[in-house]
Amino acid sequence: MHIQIDEISKQFGTTAALTPVSLSIPSGALVALLGPSGSGKTTLLRILGGLEFPSSGRVRFDGQDATNLTVQQRRAGFVFQSYALFRHMTVFDNIAYGLTARPRASRPQKAEIARRVTKLLELIQLPDIGGRFPSQLSGGQRQRVALARALAIEPRMLLLDEPFGALDAKVRKELRQGLRDIHDETGLTTIFVTHDQDEAMELADLVVVMSMGRIEQIGKPADIRARPATAFVREFIGA
Amino acid sequence: MSDIAPIRFRSATEETPLARWALIGIAFAGLAVLVFAPLIAVFAEALVQGAWAAVKSLGNRDALSAIKLTLIITAIAVPLNAAFGIAAAWFITKFDFRGKAFLITLIDLPFSVSPVVAGLCIVLMFGSNSLLGGWLVAQGYHIVFALPGIVLATMFVTFPFVARELIPVMIEQGRAEEEAALTLGASGWRTFWTVTIPNIRWALLYGVLLCNARAMGEFGAVAVVSGKIRGQTATMPITIEMLYNEYLSVAAFSMAAVLALLALVTLLLKTLLEIRHADQLSAQRRH
Ligand SMILES: Nc1ncnc2c1ncn2[C@@H]1O[C@H](COP(=O)(O)OP(=O)(O)OP(=O)(O)O)[C@@H](O)[C@H]1O
Ligand SMILES: [Mg+2]
């Protein structure tokens, strides 16, 4: 799905989290929002997911105005920074949640739900953990379960807030490849937030560098490396 | 060769066996004197003239009316306070607004105000001499010296229990899981029942049990608003006091024993639930 962000701004009281930003994300792209802490990455992602509403500007999905769509109507697969798995449910029930929450008319049969959850567990290469609780998983496993849960609703896009933030370097590398594979397999437009420039450069088709609520540069990783548009980008990439 | 004494390791926070037994002993002695002894005394007093006298004293019309009234009041006040408590805790923890600290203080107010004062406030507001009370009486609604007043007084006194239990738990859990449910397509209502409530259920249960125990036992505020009409507005605690003042010791202590038993049943229920769900409980706590 093609995502278009038109002059979106966001005020929290007197702080401007986003000064008007515009961005066009082609269908099927894997995009990194890269920037230092407080630059507005999470805010932009939450606005796309419908968890936050912009103070001004419009969001378009495939050319259609989506600014006023509710969070449920957006059908965005959202992976939270701390994963936000439902702690009182098993991994199976976590992944099945989006399917069982559907209105009765469009809700799949129990057997069909079980089949899809099993398939997703295989996709994240954790076929045997359906019966466990989130507290019984490692950080990397939790992250993959969160991804499977988001994929279960057959989302129109994937939004991930620092998906690898809380993990050690080795696991990060593995999961990076895992995300790339899942993106290539599903073809979903995917946006992930990171403040790790290696991660952004290595994984993304398109990198959006942000600072202080503004977009500093949009480009392919190689272009940003070769031709930083502003002093900020040069310094941030150089670091 | 001499015997080699077995080496014993003790962790840094562990006390010597002597100190440990001494501490456990003190704790039990304290419990025995402050909790068990009075409890046993109540039952002993009730049974002084035999079980039959105790049962008979509970069988008369006024005693039965008191028990029924207390159960009715609890059945109204506790669910309402649970609902208000959930709403208040939810509102306070999930939204940012001005005057939040003030609202939290307000929730604690019933703890710091004497129940008698609370009862007087209700009489002042709803008594037939007040504007509101006078109008209500003219319409045929009696608040003071009637069931609604007693329920109001009980609710005021027990209001903080549920909210107080829930607020820290809900602050700790944050909004992330609820937001996750919403992004997965669940409605706000469904999110509330499948994510919010299950996450707070133990704190809620605990708050409700405390609220319940206090609602059954409330004396001061109810004494003021009820008018202590025997067989009509006298609750169990009120009846116990009246019987005791009339030197009807067996009757007074029999009813006290029933009140104590009701409290013990609630405690037992809580313990049973905890044992039954122990695995799940510990699994969630480690999260
Ligand atoms: N709910 C909120 N209320 C008030 N201010 C907020 C809120 N959310 C974000 N902000 C402010 O908006 C700005 C951008 O925050 P945002 O969370 O989008 O940054 P970020 O780029 O995701 O940072 P990080 O890398 O630390 O997660 C910050 O100055 C932050 O303090
Ligand atoms: Mg962030």
Side-chain angles (χ1 to χ4, degrees):
Chain A
M1 189 177 62
H2 174 231
I3 300 170
Q4 201 173 338
I5 295 161
D6 271 351
E7 298 286 307
I8 290 280
S9 76
K10 177 70 184 175
Q11 294 277 138
F12 289 109
T14 54
T15 43
L18 292 173
T19 57
V21 296
S22 297
L23 178 62
S24 176
I25 296 169
S27 187
L30 180 54
V31 179
L33 296 180
L34 174 68
S37 189
S39 54
K41 310 180 295 288
T42 298
T43 306
L44 186 55
L45 201 71
R46 286 170 63 85
I47 287 174
L48 286 177
L51 289 168
E52 210 88 68
F53 286 88
S55 306
S56 70
R58 315 228 54 97
V59 178
R60 270 178 260 277
F61 295 159
D62 280 337
Q64 300 263 332
D65 189 3
T67 319
N68 295 321
L69 291 188
T70 62
V71 51
Q72 291 94 349
Q73 290 166 337
R74 304 253 173 152
R75 282 207 7 244
F78 207 108
V79 176
F80 291 79
Q81 192 163 0
S82 51
Y83 315 133
L85 296 176
F86 306 127
R87 68 191 83 192
H88 63 282
M89 291 181 206
T90 60
V91 167
F92 184 98
D93 290 338
N94 263 278
I95 297 175
Y97 188 88
L99 295 174
T100 49
R102 282 190 188 167
R104 205 174 297 268
S106 57
R107 189 186 309 159
Q109 300 280 316
K110 256 202 155 129
E112 170 64 10
I113 291 178
R115 197 186 63 78
R116 288 203 211 173
V117 172
T118 310
K119 225 176 106 198
L120 283 161
L121 283 168
E122 277 161 15
L123 182 73
I124 59 169
Q125 296 169 0
L126 294 169
D128 302 322
I129 60 157
R132 291 205 216 159
F133 283 94
S135 57
Q136 298 163 330
L137 303 179
S138 73
Q141 289 171 333
R142 281 181 207 170
Q143 196 271 346
R144 285 188 272 174
V145 171
L147 186 58
R149 182 179 69 175
L151 287 169
I153 61 167
E154 297 167 318
R156 298 197 284 175
M157 61 191 143
L158 262 184
L159 306 172
L160 307 98
D161 194 355
E162 309 217 13
F164 316 117
L167 305 169
D168 68 56
K170 185 168 164 291
V171 182
R172 281 173 93 108
K173 280 242 162 64
E174 281 170 26
L175 290 182
R176 247 186 238 177
Q177 191 53 47
L179 179 61
R180 180 84 236 181
D181 293 345
I182 284 172
H183 169 263
D184 294 348
E185 203 165 310
T186 58
L188 284 168
T189 311
T190 303
I191 305 174
F192 70 98
V193 163
T194 179
H195 49 231
D196 177 342
Q197 58 127 336
D198 286 337
E199 198 163 282
M201 298 296 183
E202 215 170 280
L203 194 53
D205 306 325
L206 196 67
V207 175
V208 178
V209 187
M210 297 183 66
S211 133
M212 293 170 32
R214 284 190 318 269
I215 292 180
E216 296 276 337
Q217 188 170 4
I218 307 168
K220 295 205 170 70
D223 291 344
I224 289 184
R225 274 227 178 81
R227 288 177 291 279
T230 65
F232 170 84
V233 177
R234 188 174 314 119
E235 200 171 318
F236 194 71
I237 299 303
Chain B
M1 298 303 279
S2 63
D3 288 300
I4 298 169
I7 304 172
R8 300 195 43 209
F9 293 101
R10 208 163 40 226
S11 80
T13 53
E14 213 174 286
E15 306 298 337
T16 64
L18 188 71
R20 230 178 324 154
W21 285 114
L23 283 173
I24 294 174
I26 291 172
F28 266 101
L31 266 180
V33 171
L34 293 173
V35 181
F36 293 128
L39 212 53
I40 289 166
V42 166
F43 284 97
E45 248 347 279
L47 296 172
V48 158
Q49 291 172 24
W52 178 238
V55 171
K56 215 170 68 181
S57 79
L58 292 171
N60 75 53
R61 236 195 55 218
D62 290 354
L64 285 178
S65 144
I67 296 174
K68 200 172 123 198
L69 182 61
T70 289
L71 291 179
I72 290 174
I73 289 162
T74 313
I76 300 173
V78 172
L80 282 177
N81 260 352
F84 287 144
I86 292 170
W90 189 74
F91 192 64
I92 282 174
T93 52
K94 310 288 169 170
F95 294 100
D96 283 317
F97 54 91
R98 281 149 62 97
K100 195 167 176 170
F102 177 70
L103 192 63
I104 295 178
T105 315
L106 212 61
I107 286 177
D108 277 341
L109 193 70
F111 277 162
S112 45
V113 171
S114 159
V116 176
V117 175
L120 281 175
C121 290
I122 291 175
V123 171
L124 278 180
M125 265 181 66
F126 295 103
S128 52
N129 292 331
S130 76
L131 215 60
L132 182 59
W135 183 78
L136 282 170
V137 168
Q139 310 298 312
Y141 296 108
H142 294 268
I143 308 286
V144 173
F145 306 146
L147 184 72
I150 306 177
V151 170
L152 273 180
T154 307
M155 281 182 64
F156 177 83
V157 171
T158 58
F159 183 77
F161 286 103
V162 173
R164 267 282 141 200
E165 281 301 319
L166 294 185
I167 287 170
V169 176
M170 288 171 101
I171 286 179
E172 202 251 329
Q173 289 176 347
R175 270 197 68 85
E177 284 180 50
E178 282 151 21
E179 287 182 342
L182 296 176
T183 64
L184 293 168
S187 63
W189 186 243
R190 190 184 176 91
T191 301
F192 179 75
W193 285 109
T194 57
V195 177
T196 312
I197 290 288
N199 273 349
I200 59 170
R201 63 188 160 189
W202 292 106
L204 181 62
L205 177 69
Y206 197 66
V208 164
L209 288 175
L210 284 178
C211 184
N212 182 61
R214 185 63 206 269
M216 289 193 298
E218 173 53 25
F219 179 82
V222 172
V224 177
V225 296
S226 70
K228 301 190 184 179
I229 309 166
R230 217 180 277 261
Q232 280 183 39
T233 64
T235 61
M236 287 175 77
I238 304 276
T239 305
I240 292 168
E241 197 232 8
M242 291 196 298
L243 292 171
Y244 185 73
N245 285 344
E246 290 156 16
Y247 303 103
L248 296 170
S249 161
V250 167
F253 279 102
S254 300
M255 183 149 310
V258 173
L259 196 54
L261 269 180
L262 286 175
L264 287 178
V265 166
T266 8
L267 267 185
L268 193 74
L269 223 62
K270 169 176 171 277
T271 314
L272 280 180
L273 277 170
E274 270 176 2
I275 292 172
R276 196 142 152 234
H277 297 279
D279 310 345
Q280 222 180 342
L281 211 59
S282 63
Q284 282 176 37
R285 289 244 166 93
R286 269 185 284 126
H287 189 76

